[in-house]
Amino acid sequence: MDKLKVLVTDPVDEAFLEKVKPHVNVEVALKLPEEELLKKVEDVDVLVVRSRTKVTRRVIEAAKKLKAVIRAGVGVDNIDMEAAKERGLTVVNTPREPAESVAELTIAFALCLARKIPSLDRSMKEGLWLKGEMGMELKGKTMGLLGLGAIGSTVARLARAFGMRVIAYDPYVSEEKARELGVELVSFQELLSSSDFLSVHVPLTPETKGMIGRNEIASMKDGAFIINTSRGGIVDEEALYEAIKGGKLAGAALDVYVKEPPPPDHPLLKLDNVVCTPHVGGSTSDAQLRIALTMADDLLRIARGEEPLNKVKTW
Ligand code: NAD
């Protein structure tokens, strides 16, 4: 039987290539302009992407032999799932592998906001000594999680280790699971009104887009913080800017943006109490190695004609 033809269009850990190379024909072609990608996918059996490559309907239609798309990471919002479904494509991701890294970044963000670390670091480097700057502890504060899946649950464990009260809104999670995690399940309204730190861990879907908008921010605690390590667009960026500028919120920390990278004159980048990172939640050597090994296993399952373990359920 011919070996599968695999095209990798975003950077993946070397461990993936080492593991699959003896069994499939792999080509790595990064940063392809769309027209070149459309040409390259024509005779490809499996496409491997992270979040940069957009697997649009055009790409799927051009890839006449395509059987599967493997997404190194969690969110599949860069894949046209409707088009994939129509073609009967198998879509595979690595749902658990980045959780610890994203959760640790979330806690790092909470600490940065609570202790103003980024702005104090900047002020020191400008020759200032702002010893009077007052921060706060995480202990005793309420961490509110929007979404209690793999990442939300991990943030809950870490936040509890800091002595935080953890509440969550996730209508798809059982009371029993929440109890095991030491998390109180609350209504969306209560999540908004009780959180000192509101942290977003839901996927971007038509239902969650703009879920934290002007009205929702208005019903939050005065002086609360918002953390978004999930996807840009779940928190309305304009409403967030206004709320921080106007003093309703004390600050925010963002790893994800509506447009990535955001334009350099993006108003949120100008605020001192907004901490930003360039979508690096899952970018640790530890997470990338776990991702590489998990997706290599699933690619080899596909090559052997078996069901991959991490098939994304869409139908
Ligand atoms: P997950 O599927 O395990 O958890 C998502 C949770 O959201 C589920 O429990 C689900 O029930 C809940 N949910 C869905 N719709 C909801 C709604 N309308 N209201 C409340 N809850 C809702 O996913 P995860 O692994 O925890 O990842 C969460 C998101 O984090 C991903 O979708 C991805 O977009 C993002 N992510 C970001 C990075 C990064 O680099 N910053 C890395 C990995 C994942």
Side-chain angles (χ1 to χ4, degrees), residues 160-182:
R160 279 177 45 79
F162 278 89
M164 299 185 85
R165 171 187 177 223
V166 185
I167 60 174
Y169 170 68
D170 188 330
Y172 309 104
V173 154
S174 68
E175 284 286 351
E176 195 190 344
K177 177 184 166 182
R179 210 174 314 115
E180 277 168 15
L181 291 164

Side-chain angles (χ1 to χ4, degrees), residues 50-51 71 73-77 93-99 101-102 105 145-153 169-173 177 188 200-205 207-208 211 228-232 234 255-256 260 277-283 291:
R50 282 179 68 180
S51 55
R71 156 76 167 104
V74 182
V76 288
D77 40 298
N93 68 349
T94 54
R96 290 161 299 275
E97 285 63 19
S101 295
V102 182
L105 178 67
L145 304 173
L146 178 57
L148 193 60
I151 298 172
S153 304
Y169 170 68
D170 188 330
Y172 309 104
V173 154
K177 177 184 166 182
F188 185 45
V200 179
H201 302 289
V202 290
L204 178 64
T205 64
E207 190 194 2
T208 62
M211 201 168 172
N228 188 3
T229 56
S230 184
R231 279 293 179 271
I234 298 169
D255 186 45
V256 288
E260 295 188 359
T277 50
H279 200 149
V280 293
S283 302
I291 287 172

Side-chain angles (χ1 to χ4, degrees), residues 8-84:
V8 180
T9 57
D10 291 328
V12 295
D13 193 283
E14 209 41 48
F16 169 78
L17 299 172
E18 270 170 35
K19 205 163 174 186
V20 302
K21 262 183 184 160
H23 309 283
V24 297
N25 289 325
V26 199
E27 184 186 356
V28 180
L30 309 180
K31 295 190 177 167
L32 288 177
E34 196 188 7
E35 290 311 313
E36 268 181 56
L37 174 65
L38 289 172
K39 262 217 179 89
K40 268 219 176 293
V41 290
E42 271 173 13
D43 60 344
V44 158
D45 298 298
V46 180
L47 183 60
V48 178
V49 302
R50 282 179 68 180
S51 55
R52 198 200 64 89
T53 302
K54 306 295 169 233
V55 188
T56 58
R57 180 173 287 276
R58 274 187 86 199
V59 171
I60 290 173
E61 280 170 1
K64 300 269 181 288
K65 290 179 62 192
L66 196 65
K67 297 177 183 60
V69 181
I70 299 184
R71 156 76 167 104
V74 182
V76 288
D77 40 298
N78 57 322
I79 301 169
D80 186 328
M81 292 301 282
E82 206 41 53

Side-chain angles (χ1 to χ4, degrees), residues 271-291:
L271 296 178
D272 212 34
N273 42 355
V274 174
V275 182
C276 297
T277 50
H279 200 149
V280 293
S283 302
T284 62
S285 48
D286 311 272
Q288 291 309 314
L289 180 60
R290 282 194 299 270
I291 287 172

